[in-house]
Amino acid sequence: MSADVTEVADFLASRAPFRELPRALLQTLVRQTAIRYVRRGTRILSVGETNEVMFVLRSGAVDITDGDGGLVERSEPGTCFGMSTLVEQAPSRYDFTAIEDSLLLVVPAETFHATCERDEGFGAYYTSAHTARLRRAVALLHTTDRGGAVLRTSVGDLVRRAPVTTAPGDSIRAAAQLMAAERVSSVLVQQDGRLVGIVTDRDLRTRVLAEGRDPEGPVAEVMTPEPATARIDALAFEALMEMVERKIHHLPVLDRAGGVVGLISGTDLMRLEHNNPVYLVADIEAASDVAALASLGTRIPVIVDQLVAEDATAQDIGRVVTSLGDAIERRLLVLAETELGPPPVPYCWVVLGSQARHEQGLASDQDNALVIADEMTREHDHYFAALAHRVSAGLVECGYPLCPGDVMATNPRWRAPVATWRAHFDRWLDTPEPQAVLNGSIFFDMRPLHGAVDLVEDLRADVLARTRHADLFLAYLARHAVGRRPPIGFFRGLVLEREGRHRDRLDLKAGGVGAVVELARVHALLGGLPEVNSHARLDAAARAGSISAGLAAELIDALEFVAYLRMRHQGHAVRSGREPDNFVDPATLTDFERRHLRDAFRIIRAAQQALIQRLPLENLS
């Protein structure tokens, strides 16, 4: 027996992840492992079958096929299989058939889990291998139809050279000479490695020449201090929006640590192709009335269809659609203020739901609210009611239908001073009721769009500080999240709509995108995390320990896969002259897409089960 243990241990030690195990732990695993001989043609494990072991192929060959008979992998000696059923604690997703006489090492579930617990790297190996399958599917799904990705251009892609910099105490003349020598239209002012200002050609004209200022004076006297900046990973059209809103032509670019990596200009942005949404943002900003905005809004579905063809991810498409919607809504607010006059007290217009998360699609309705300074009076509400109705009507004209649940600033309940909003959140958190929590959950996805941003930021900071201790509220929210069952049956068949106008269609929103959104919200609120975007929430929750890093990564991949299919479906609908929706005909999906949709839905369900085990949901009435 000792010789057998040594032989098997040596065999495993030559292969990942066993080679990384301490020898004593490896020998313990081998002693608890059985050996099984199977003849050619034997079905070792079938789709839908429960399994309590991991197999390691010692010799021979095994084919792994999906439920449709498609070959997933042909296993060679040393290959492990069946472990995904142990990781997920779910029935097998594949058929495993010996195509040669084979010898199998059979590791019991108890041994597998014990080894994972005792050696972190061993457990991480199988988690990452499981995750990689869906990630590869996401990558394949994004194969471009046209070979380009112009509409995904990031700010970092536009930086062509290192920044040209000067110090605050250097003379204006020296800064001008530097700009001339480097052939640039601006220079960044840095002190102790930190960006403190910017000087442009326009500054030299208006602040030096026009005012007769001494060119030997320090550049700090004419620079624009603390200039607006863009992160290196921001999208180019987002940078343009910032430049248009601030009426500036130069934008320093910072890395994730806050260091300056370069600078972009309006000219850099305009070098992009004309089908880039940066042009639409500029046109929206210049629109003189609602009719012009409505005409511009018709270009958004065309851009979405273009984005799908240009290999954009679902997350990028959501950011583009949301930012264009933001621009329209912000312009409507400016037009309304121009008509009504300045607001009587400070206010902030906030967006909610998918727009707040930067995840809007083409089937999104309008969700918004008004947070107003506490000095608001009943007379002031006449102004804000008129503002809300003008903006809401304009949004309808621009293609954003009214919210069926009346979650809009036109509703007096959602047009209130800060103190009233605090009372709303107090009620949801302190004395929650299931329906009230469901109705109020959208307000935990809140993002300021226009006006006095500090009103909302202070409110959100206070609310988030309390959510992590609001156990009953979080339990109700979690129960609703796990109640959004993915459309997959026990044997991994896709569950279609049974009645109504979407009969025999697959709902990609409710149990797919929507389920991940709600899971991400719960995990973020469990930690009082400020992130609103679902990807960002899952990343932050993993860092905070609210969800395992592996499961968070899988959920992000699942969200990307399902959301991409949904965006593509909506883009095709628009191109065909149909109203975009969330219901796809499974006959339009390839075998590859159906197979990996089932994988995505299985991951979502596993994440729901993990949340059920974490929170005491069974006693909720």
Side-chain angles (χ1 to χ4, degrees):
M1 185 65 180
S2 176
D4 290 341
V5 169
T6 300
E7 180 186 358
V8 173
D10 288 344
F11 169 77
L12 293 177
S14 64
R15 293 163 172 80
F18 301 97
R19 67 166 64 100
E20 306 300 333
L21 289 177
R23 187 70 180 185
L25 183 57
L26 176 61
Q27 289 178 338
T28 298
L29 180 146
V30 171
R31 289 190 184 94
Q32 297 171 359
T33 295
I35 298 177
R36 176 182 168 190
Y37 172 76
V38 293
R39 296 188 62 81
R40 177 180 180 180
T42 301
R43 177 66 61 82
I44 301 166
L45 187 63
S46 300
V47 170
E49 186 179 348
T50 57
N51 175 52
E52 295 297 330
V53 298
M54 176 179 75
F55 298 98
V56 183
L57 186 60
R58 180 67 175 86
S59 62
V62 171
D63 271 1
I64 304 174
T65 55
D66 62 22
D68 297 324
L71 181 65
V72 176
E73 183 180 346
R74 176 156 292 172
S75 297
E76 299 177 348
T79 301
C80 302
F81 58 90
M83 64 282 181
S84 62
T85 62
L86 305 182
V87 172
E88 297 177 8
Q89 297 184 344
S92 175
R93 294 179 293 167
Y94 303 104
D95 290 328
F96 300 86
T97 306
I99 59 172
E100 298 177 3
D101 290 355
S102 301
L103 196 63
L104 305 175
L105 304 178
V106 184
V107 182
E110 297 81 0
T111 302
F112 173 82
H113 290 305
T115 308
C116 289
E117 290 178 5
R118 293 182 62 184
D119 190 279
E120 186 174 322
F122 186 83
Y125 176 88
Y126 289 108
T127 300
S128 61
H130 169 66
T131 301
R133 282 196 298 272
L134 186 58
R135 189 155 297 158
R136 286 195 298 269
V138 170
L140 288 171
L141 189 64
H142 287 156
T143 300
T144 179
D145 295 332
R146 296 177 47 185
V150 174
L151 295 178
R152 297 174 58 198
T153 303
S154 72
V155 168
D157 295 330
L158 299 178
V159 175
R160 295 289 181 262
R161 59 179 296 173
V164 179
T165 65
T166 189
D170 290 347
S171 70
I172 298 169
R173 184 189 303 277
Q177 291 173 338
L178 178 63
M179 291 165 62
E182 295 290 341
R183 297 187 178 186
V184 294
S185 58
S186 64
V187 63
L188 301 180
V189 185
Q190 287 190 284
Q191 186 172 35
D192 299 327
R194 187 176 72 87
L195 178 67
V196 295
I198 185 173
V199 176
T200 68
D201 280 339
R202 185 170 61 177
D203 294 328
L204 295 178
R205 293 193 306 269
T206 60
R207 299 178 182 178
V208 181
L209 293 177
E211 295 183 4
R213 190 183 295 272
D214 182 0
E216 300 304 327
V219 75
E221 293 181 354
V222 297
M223 73 181 186
T224 298
E226 304 298 332
T229 60
R231 281 174 54 103
I232 194 170
D233 55 354
L235 295 182
F237 78 92
E238 294 175 323
L240 178 64
M241 289 179 64
E242 181 79 9
M243 294 166 73
V244 169
E245 185 176 358
R246 293 178 177 266
K247 296 179 174 58
I248 57 178
H249 301 284
H250 302 82
L251 202 61
V253 179
L254 307 182
D255 60 22
R256 291 176 178 83
V260 179
V261 297
L263 180 138
I264 61 172
S265 67
T267 303
D268 295 322
L269 291 169
M270 291 309 152
R271 290 194 185 106
L272 299 173
E273 293 183 4
H274 284 276
N275 59 359
N276 196 294
V278 294
Y279 285 91
L280 180 53
V281 171
D283 291 342
I284 289 171
E285 179 66 22
S288 58
D289 54 34
V290 175
L293 283 172
S295 176
L296 294 170
T298 62
R299 290 163 57 182
I300 296 178
V302 178
I303 286 177
V304 169
D305 198 32
Q306 180 85 357
L307 282 164
V308 171
E310 294 286 0
D311 192 26
T313 65
Q315 184 180 24
D316 284 344
I317 298 172
R319 288 170 66 185
V320 171
V321 173
T322 301
S323 293
L324 293 173
D326 283 355
I328 289 175
E329 200 157 339
R330 193 179 291 114
R331 187 60 182 162
L332 286 169
L333 284 157
V334 171
L335 293 174
E337 286 182 359
T338 301
E339 183 179 350
L340 295 171
V345 296
Y347 80 94
C348 186
W349 183 277
V350 299
V351 292
L352 309 165
S354 62
Q355 186 176 357
R357 298 190 303 271
H358 285 99
E359 296 167 7
Q360 270 191 311
L362 293 180
S364 299
D365 54 26
Q366 51 178 288
D367 295 304
N368 48 62
L370 270 169
V371 180
I372 307 169
D374 281 331
E375 55 264 36
M376 170 190 178
T377 66
R378 183 172 299 179
E379 289 71 26
H380 294 154
D381 189 54
H382 295 304
Y383 175 94
F384 292 113
L387 179 80
H389 281 89
R390 279 170 171 75
V391 173
S392 182
L395 286 171
V396 170
E397 195 169 339
C398 292
Y400 298 90
L402 298 175
C403 173
D406 202 22
V407 181
M408 298 176 293
T410 51
N411 183 340
R413 187 180 183 191
W414 312 129
R415 185 178 68 245
V418 174
T420 301
W421 280 104
R422 290 187 188 279
H424 287 325
F425 283 106
D426 285 346
R427 184 174 64 258
W428 292 326
L429 293 173
D430 294 339
T431 56
E433 297 177 356
Q435 191 59 42
V437 167
L438 175 59
N439 294 339
S441 62
I442 189 173
F443 294 100
F444 289 85
D445 297 353
M446 176 183 285
R447 177 168 60 86
L449 182 69
H450 177 80
V453 172
D454 57 309
L455 294 176
V456 176
E457 290 182 341
D458 292 345
L459 175 66
R460 288 197 77 242
D462 291 345
V463 170
L464 289 172
R466 297 183 53 206
T467 54
R468 66 173 67 192
H469 306 298
D471 295 343
L472 186 57
F473 164 80
L474 290 170
Y476 279 130
L477 203 63
R479 185 176 71 173
H480 182 68
V482 302
R484 279 185 175 265
R485 295 189 64 87
I488 186 172
F490 181 77
F491 291 105
R492 302 188 71 247
L494 296 173
V495 177
L496 309 181
E497 297 295 296
R498 295 183 178 180
E499 55 189 9
R501 66 191 184 97
H502 299 301
R503 182 178 177 180
D504 296 330
R505 296 291 190 269
L506 181 65
D507 186 354
L508 296 179
K509 180 180 179 182
V513 172
V516 180
V517 165
E518 296 207 15
L519 287 167
R521 181 190 297 130
V522 171
H523 282 291
L525 295 180
L526 278 168
L529 304 173
E531 286 77 8
V532 177
N533 174 265
S534 296
H535 284 232
R537 277 176 163 170
L538 289 168
D539 279 337
R543 291 193 301 271
S546 178
I547 185 174
S548 72
L551 187 53
E554 287 191 321
L555 276 176
I556 288 172
D557 287 337
L559 175 60
E560 174 60 35
F561 194 88
V562 180
Y564 183 87
L565 290 179
R566 176 187 176 219
M567 286 287 193
R568 190 185 67 184
H569 166 71
Q570 292 179 350
H572 288 174
V574 170
R575 188 168 57 190
S576 303
R578 295 181 284 108
E579 191 74 19
D581 57 35
N582 303 301
F583 299 87
V584 65
D585 182 352
T588 64
L589 301 175
T590 66
D591 289 343
F592 171 89
E593 290 163 353
R594 286 195 294 270
R595 181 164 66 249
H596 289 289
L597 260 181
R598 292 193 290 267
D599 282 344
F601 292 147
R602 176 69 68 184
I603 287 168
I604 295 169
R605 190 57 190 156
Q608 291 174 332
Q609 293 293 337
L611 186 58
I612 289 173
Q613 294 174 7
R614 175 175 178 178
L615 295 177
L617 307 183
E618 66 279 358
N619 296 324
L620 294 179
S621 57

